[in-house]
Amino acid sequence: MKMLTKFESKSSSRAKGVAFHPTRPWVLVSLHSSTIQLWDYRMGTLIDRFEEHDGPVRSVNFHPTQPLFVSGGDDYTIKVWSTITRKCIFTLSGHLDYVRTVSFHNELPWILSTSDDQTIRIWNWQNRQEIACLTGHNHYVMSAEFHPTQDLIVSSSLDQTVRVWDISGLRKKHSAPSGAQAATRSFEDQLSRQNMPQQDIFGNTDAVVKFVLEGHDRGVNWASFHPTLPLIVSGGDDRVVKLWRMSETKAWEVDTCRGHTNNVLAVLFHPTQDLIISVSEDKTIRTWDLNKRTSIKQYTRENDRFWLIAAHPQINLFAAAHDSGVMVFKLERERPPSTLFQNQLFFVNNERQVQTYNFDTKQDSLPVLSLKKIGKPWTMLRSLSYNPSEHSIIVTTGPEDSPMYALIQLPKDASGAIEPLDIRQDAADFAIFIARNRFVTYSKETGMLNVKDLNNSVTKSIKLEDPIKDLLYAGPGHVLLLKQNSIVQFDVQQKKVVAEFQVSSVKYVTWSHDGEYLALLSKHTITIVNKRLELITSMHETIRIKSAAWDETGVLLYSTLNHIKYTLLNGDNGIIKTLPNTVYVVKVQGKNVFCLTRSGKVETIKIDPTEYRFKKALVNKNFNEVLRIIKNSTLVGQNIIAYLQKKGYPEIALQFVEDPETRFELALESGDLQAALAEAQKLKLPAAWKALGEEALKQGNTQIVELVYQDQKQLEKLSFFYLINGDFERLRKMQTIAEHRTDISSLIQNSVYLNSTEKRAAVFSQAGNLPLAYALAHSNGLGEFAQQILEAAGIDVDEIELPDDISEPIEVLKPTRKLGNWPVKESAPSFFEKAMLGQLEDLQLEDAADPFDDDDNEANVSKGLGEAEDFFDDDGAEDDMGWDDEGLEVSDVEEDVEITEASLTETGTWVKNAPSNAAVHVAAGQFDSAAQLLHRQVGIVNFEPLRARFMEVYQANKVYLAGNDGLPPVLSYIRADPEEDDASRLKPYIPGYDTLEASLQEAFRLFRSNKLEDAIEVFRQVIYTVSVLAVPDEDAEAKCVEALHLCREYILGLSIELARRSLPADAIQRNLELAAYFTKAKLKPAHRMNALQVAMTQSFKHKNYATASYFAGEFLKIVSTGSRAEQAQKIKAKADTIARDAIETNFDPYADFTICASTLTPIYKGSASVKESLVGAEYQASEKGKVCKITGISLIGVPASSLRLVA
Amino acid sequence: MSSEELFAIRNQFYSSQYSEVISNHDIDNVTTNEIKQYILRSYLALGQYSKVIELANNEPELAGLVYYSKYLSGDQSIADEFVSYAKSNKPSLLTQILAAIVLVKQYQRYDDAIELLTSDINMENHDELNLEVFSVIVQIYLLQDALPKAKNFLKKFSHLNINDSVVYNYSDALVSLVQGGSTATQHAFYFFEEISHSSRSLKNLTFMMVVHLLLNHVPESSEIMEQIDELIANDDSLKADEHYLTYLINKAKVLIINNQGSEALQLINNEILSTADQSHPYVVDYNDKIALFDGVVDKYAAQISN
């Protein structure tokens, strides 16, 4: 058993009392110096101090549910405090000497106190009165506590007794009466109750002594109930711990635990385990086995006597008060040892059994193996290492208490916790597998790293210079040595250090999935390094870090005491979820975080990975992913927007924001003027317009600049803008506007820009500035106007003296060309914009072009298409099969002879197991018999197109294994089921089935982009693939047949369309017929639309209105909205008004017929026809014996069984 | 020191890290003949036959290596002389191994080769070279399609404490892979995963790629294929590696299975068929099958009419 210290407080004075808060990470510590401290033991910070007691405070206690705590001290008082206001609410006085202990009742509003005045008192903290005083002890009462569930109190006293008190009378008296009684209770009743004395004159009728336990030879310092069993434990100045049992009627001493060398001051039962924990002035904490009453372990402090021990009500934590403070600790690690292998977790549950958990099925196994006999009792197992090759494990008990490891074979199946048969064990602190047949152990005592084989014998020993704190696996033959101030990657084989990294106190290490990175966890730091131990990033956490696991994409998720968080490789991190309980993350898979809990179970926590995936995509500049997340997820708060802005992606942030003001700012920041403009128009704020104008000017976006000036009525700027832009027409308008507004200065400015001297002169003259007006008119050669001015002024030309150097009239310079938008920033759209544009186009294309291409639709459509035919085909096929099988068997007999001859070879086995599947014959290299089968089953005669497929299938299941240098490589076979162990049931791996879907999609894509020949070629390849294919079951076979039929229809349809396109222009009738026949091919609706559209427009163009109307109607059945539908509606409307055909064609929309793939003529129902067997294409009887136009390899109308695909 | 060096060089040689063998050890300053032999054989594995002839020519102890180098460099007429030299003189285990290889390669005389090897090997000796003899025998059985024999033979020396021997492990894995099935393949997989981790030689990586194929892990094998291609792109000398051709052949398989048939065909036609030794079993088999298919086409051609 190991004590793990979680927190230590230092105080100048003795800590006398300590109490845990029931839910928050708080401890109250009362000191001998009169101070009460409130600590956060998780963060290690002092939250508050309470200084109202006078003299030592001996005891404190939190209320289990209310925000209260109580304290009692040497000032004889009990104080009740609020944890909210952090103030003392009231003081209870009554004790006549030091108060030793105080505590709350679990449910009733009671406080229990003990005192050196030899009494135990019970107080009601609601009405703040003493309700009972228990007398009987005849010395100091050192402790007392309520029973957690029964109406009992146990107390201890220096009078050497432990007493158990029955307080059921008190409860009856003080419990609130039930409803009915309360209603009828009279006022007098209440009055009399209130005035009732708390105890009667003769003593304690409310609380009576039930048992007096005598046995201690000196004063008893502490007594405590067992939480569930009828047991009491006590400790006293006689240095022993005593265990007592009680029944309804009596109580007796069970046993004594001896060992403490000084007064035992406090003792309690472990809340969940069969342990007793005691503290003593001998400076030790000791643990005892409750069942055997033997000492298990002792923990010594050098200089401090212990005064009190308290247990946390829920969590596995204890607090001990001692001479210089308190320590919070737990006994034993609560982390279940575990190890991952592929999709399985191996772990040790709380019953000390090995269990496995499957991440795919999300289920745990039965216990596999019991480890009860491994290690000493009360030692936890510390680590688990798994060897998949041998299906064995190594467990260790860790570096405390005679450390050891055990190598154990796991049973093949989990059938309950069986006892291990063959345990190979030895002493060592750490042990892990490093290879299939090797493991290493390390012993602190000797400092030796031993490499051992599975027989537990040492094959190699390495002396390590520095002691190590842990030993971890680091790839085959390598280990990580965790040292105090560094971690070292060590090659065990070559005995050399591969890499070393300085980092202090690493406790755990997690490798990323690709083995490129590892996360080093210490108490408060996560350091991520690459596999060469070079620093990538490092981060600090204030809360203790517990565990971590990488997700598939290389994001590290880690858990602290109360959160699941993530961090990216660049150090960006955040919180994913708050945890109610501490868990140990073992694996992250998509949205599931798998954790081990402290109760030794696997728990799945659902998380939303959107945020970190988004950030990761952004950091990696994977904008397609960013876009996908934006489109598909409901992100995101202020958090993400701020993040985006910080990272320099305002344009992405823009995608998330609704608020115009923020949008405006983001748009400006990302230089997206159009978006900014849209927001500015909504905002209507001058400041926004101004900012927009400035940015637009910077970017040289003249349109927006103009818009802003207009909107903001910045007429002067606008005029100048028009001037430099050479827009004289607008400038003239500006002049007119100025005139209307009688804005002289604006008018003059505009006239200057326009060089309209006449206008300006007129303005001057109107303004009465006649000399200037004259000078202007005169110098610009406006003689007449000048004359008018003279006349108006009433003076003569001669009277005017003009300067001599009047030069030629000035021409206003005109821009050589009109300014467009300045291409400054536009040339550099961000990556994201590019990605978005590209992606958006793609998306639109696909969405628009193929609304029916949804998976669902596809399945439905093709099913619909398949069903009717399949039924028919299958029936026929089955009959044939019956016949054919018998026929075949005859020939099989011959083949059997061959097979038995070569019965040892693998390929022979293949053929034997699938005698009628051509692909298997091909795989076995028996091309002859394969060809025979294909010929008989589907009438194939033209094999050349199948050459590539034959060679592919033949080659795809053979690999060559290199052996010794110089010798030829050895052949081995790839099988359909690599797990098959029965040599007589082997089948070859035949590729192709998985590719059908993708090939068909490729063909559809070619179809959509109008590459019809190419599409036909791909459809044919699908046919060839299926021809030489083996599938495991009928379902898959049905799917292949469906694919064949699909190919048939498309090749037929496309051939018709190609034929139509190659017609001479004057073959109108044939053109119309072929267009019509094209619509008879059973294409998917989205594709049939194309056929219908062709037929519709062709018919309409050539005035076959009745037929056009029919096609338009068919078209509208498929799609009823959108531009193409509108066109169809128009055509239909127009065609219906005429409703007759100009050209007679051989097409009756209402007749039942199919199209002959060779002649491209209709075969009406009931008329003679022949069929091809591979894809089931139909032909006119005349085509019998020819090679099928669709497949190009099979004969038309020859006897055939049918393709046998299941192998 | 010497035993450490020997350990290292053996590991490197048998896991086919030929360039490492050559660059880590100075042939002029070797302490034992055995080390020298490994260096020379590494040169052979990288196709530098004349270099070996030049280095070993004057040392009678290495006469076997010289014969073998001459044979590899194209002088097939020397095969007879070499075999009879090995049979009559029994100069060294290495010579016998090389002679056996020639017997297999030149004459397909598997039984003779095994006889030559078994005539005086020591079943209790787990010296590495002795284990190599076992390993060659196992492979010859496998080449004869005699898996049970190979398994039995392997069992014979499993009592020796040789779990650490690279040579033994290769043989064991090879037999497991030929046998197939869940346990055996998995067993081999763990071995190769482990060894390819420490030595990323062409041979080991090719094995990893192939084992993934055998386990139907197609994406993993293409991933390894890409890694190997990258490795080759960075180190041209790998194209002379003993195992380069085997890699190419298996690469073609990966491509085929990964639906990259046309690339596979290109690889086969441009790089494998044209450059490889025409007696290589793959080439022989491939040409056989093409001829077989031609026969099929011809047989049914008469029925094609239009």
Side-chain angles (χ1 to χ4, degrees), chain A residues 341 388-389 435-438 476 925 927-928 931-932 935 941-944 946-947 950-952 954-956 958-976 978-981 989 995 1185-1187 1195, chain B residues 18 45 68 101 105 135-136 139 143 163-164 169 174 177-182 187 190-191 194 197 203 207 210 213-216 242-243 246 249-250 253 256-257 259 268 280 282 285-286 289 292-294 296-297 300 303-305:
Chain A
F341 174 68
S389 169
R436 279 175 312 134
N437 51 11
R438 287 290 182 277
F927 289 4
D928 277 332
Q932 255 172 39
H935 182 64
V941 292
N942 181 15
F943 279 91
E944 190 56 45
L946 291 176
R947 181 185 291 267
F950 263 58
M951 290 309 283
E952 213 172 84
Y954 175 70
Q955 291 208 61
K958 294 165 196 72
V959 289
Y960 284 87
L961 307 169
N964 293 273
D965 286 7
L967 282 176
V970 174
L971 195 60
S972 181
Y973 301 99
I974 308 177
R975 297 165 184 163
E979 305 273 297
E980 178 61 71
D981 285 325
Y989 172 81
T995 67
K1186 294 185 182 168
V1187 171
L1195 284 184
Chain B
Y18 307 119
Y68 185 63
I101 291 173
K105 273 186 93 155
S135 163
V136 171
Q139 192 179 349
L143 285 171
N163 273 329
D164 264 346
N169 276 316
L174 198 62
L177 287 185
V178 173
Q179 181 189 335
S182 55
H187 175 71
Y190 290 125
F191 167 68
E194 196 176 309
H197 196 273
K203 171 172 159 185
F207 261 116
V210 169
L213 269 194
L214 289 172
L215 290 166
N216 292 10
E242 165 90 19
H243 303 285
T246 312
I249 293 169
N250 290 314
K253 316 288 188 170
I256 289 172
I257 291 171
N259 202 22
I268 292 168
H280 190 281
Y282 175 79
D285 185 51
Y286 191 88
K289 290 298 172 291
L292 191 57
F293 192 81
D294 287 342
V296 168
V297 172
Y300 294 93
Q303 299 187 41
I304 305 174
S305 67

Side-chain angles (χ1 to χ4, degrees), chain B residues 213-241:
Chain B
L213 269 194
L214 289 172
L215 290 166
N216 292 10
H217 298 163
V218 182
E220 285 87 344
S221 53
S222 357
E223 202 175 287
I224 295 177
M225 180 183 85
E226 282 161 22
Q227 288 173 18
I228 300 177
D229 281 342
E230 200 184 314
L231 218 59
I232 293 173
N234 291 330
D235 180 3
D236 215 37
S237 75
L238 286 176
K239 290 190 178 170
D241 193 291

Side-chain angles (χ1 to χ4, degrees), chain A residues 304-545:
Chain A
D304 301 320
R305 291 165 296 171
F306 284 104
W307 301 106
L308 184 67
I309 173 111
H312 194 287
Q314 267 94 39
I315 309 172
N316 176 21
L317 278 181
F318 299 92
H322 56 72
D323 275 347
S324 55
V326 296
M327 53 188 288
V328 175
F329 63 93
K330 63 178 174 183
L331 290 171
E332 249 347 311
R333 306 151 53 87
E334 293 176 278
R335 175 189 302 256
S338 70
T339 184
L340 278 174
F341 174 68
Q342 288 173 354
N343 63 346
Q344 274 191 315
L345 178 76
F346 292 79
F347 64 99
V348 179
N349 65 20
N350 280 13
E351 303 294 317
R352 220 181 172 86
Q353 295 159 338
V354 179
Q355 246 182 306
T356 65
Y357 180 86
N358 186 313
F359 294 115
D360 294 339
T361 60
K362 296 192 185 155
Q363 275 177 349
D364 47 11
S365 69
L366 286 170
V368 179
L369 189 76
S370 166
L371 299 175
K372 289 231 165 65
K373 291 182 179 157
I374 309 296
K376 295 209 302 192
W378 298 110
T379 56
M380 273 284 282
L381 295 174
R382 183 173 179 280
S383 77
L384 176 67
S385 177
Y386 175 66
N387 179 344
S389 169
E390 300 289 329
H391 198 50
S392 54
I393 54 167
I394 295 178
V395 290
T396 66
T397 60
E400 306 284 318
D401 290 335
S402 53
M404 52 121 12
Y405 69 87
L407 165 63
I408 310 161
Q409 183 74 34
L410 289 179
K412 205 159 174 90
D413 302 303
S415 54
I418 63 164
E419 291 296 328
L421 291 174
D422 182 15
I423 307 172
R424 293 170 193 179
Q425 53 191 9
D426 207 343
D429 293 75
F430 313 118
I432 47 163
F433 284 109
I434 54 158
R436 279 175 312 134
N437 51 11
R438 287 290 182 277
F439 62 97
V440 284
T441 65
Y442 174 80
S443 162
K444 280 185 177 171
E445 211 177 352
T446 60
M448 296 300 282
L449 198 63
N450 285 332
V451 182
K452 297 192 168 190
D453 66 16
L454 300 184
N455 295 319
N456 210 8
S457 44
V458 177
T459 65
K460 187 176 280 186
S461 276
I462 302 159
K463 173 89 182 163
L464 293 186
E465 282 165 18
D466 308 325
I468 61 170
K469 291 172 59 195
D470 206 348
L471 179 70
L472 296 166
Y473 179 72
H478 290 66
V479 290
L480 277 182
L481 309 175
L482 304 193
K483 298 184 178 178
Q484 183 59 38
N485 290 311
S486 69
I487 68 164
V488 174
Q489 191 179 358
F490 191 76
D491 184 331
V492 177
Q493 198 71 281
Q494 304 189 28
K495 299 186 191 173
K496 72 173 186 199
V497 172
V498 180
E500 179 160 8
F501 181 71
Q502 298 296 324
V503 55
S504 65
S505 307
V506 172
K507 299 177 74 179
Y508 304 102
V509 168
T510 330
W511 289 85
S512 67
H513 288 228
D514 55 7
E516 288 295 319
Y517 299 103
L518 60 166
L520 315 173
L521 313 187
S522 55
K523 249 185 203 175
H524 293 286
T525 313
I526 294 182
T527 311
I528 298 179
V529 296
N530 64 16
K531 62 180 175 187
R532 292 177 298 281
L533 303 189
E534 293 156 351
L535 179 70
I536 303 292
T537 185
S538 152
M539 51 180 297
H540 187 82
E541 274 288 336
T542 45
I543 305 275
R544 207 169 299 226
I545 299 159

Side-chain angles (χ1 to χ4, degrees), chain A residues 852-917:
Chain A
F852 290 86
D853 230 30
D854 288 354
D855 279 353
D856 283 355
N857 271 335
E858 215 161 272
N860 288 341
V861 171
S862 39
K863 210 181 275 168
L865 177 124
E867 256 162 13
E869 284 191 342
D870 278 355
F871 273 126
F872 186 73
D873 262 12
D874 273 356
D875 287 351
E878 243 154 308
D879 282 351
D880 276 351
M881 229 182 275
W883 279 107
D884 210 64
D885 264 349
E886 277 167 311
L888 259 179
E889 256 166 57
V890 178
S891 57
D892 275 352
V893 174
E894 289 167 65
E895 283 169 359
D896 268 347
V897 179
E898 269 179 37
I899 289 163
T900 32
E901 258 182 352
S903 64
L904 278 178
T905 67
E906 170 138 6
T907 50
T909 319
W910 294 351
V911 172
K912 196 184 80 196
N913 288 332
S916 58
N917 178 284

Side-chain angles (χ1 to χ4, degrees), chain A residues 1020 1023 1047-1049 1051-1052 1157 1175 1177 1179 1188-1192:
Chain A
R1020 285 225 171 95
I1023 294 175
C1047 292
R1048 175 192 69 206
E1049 292 300 323
I1051 296 176
L1052 174 63
V1175 296
Y1179 287 90
C1188 171
K1189 296 284 186 206
I1190 304 245
T1191 67

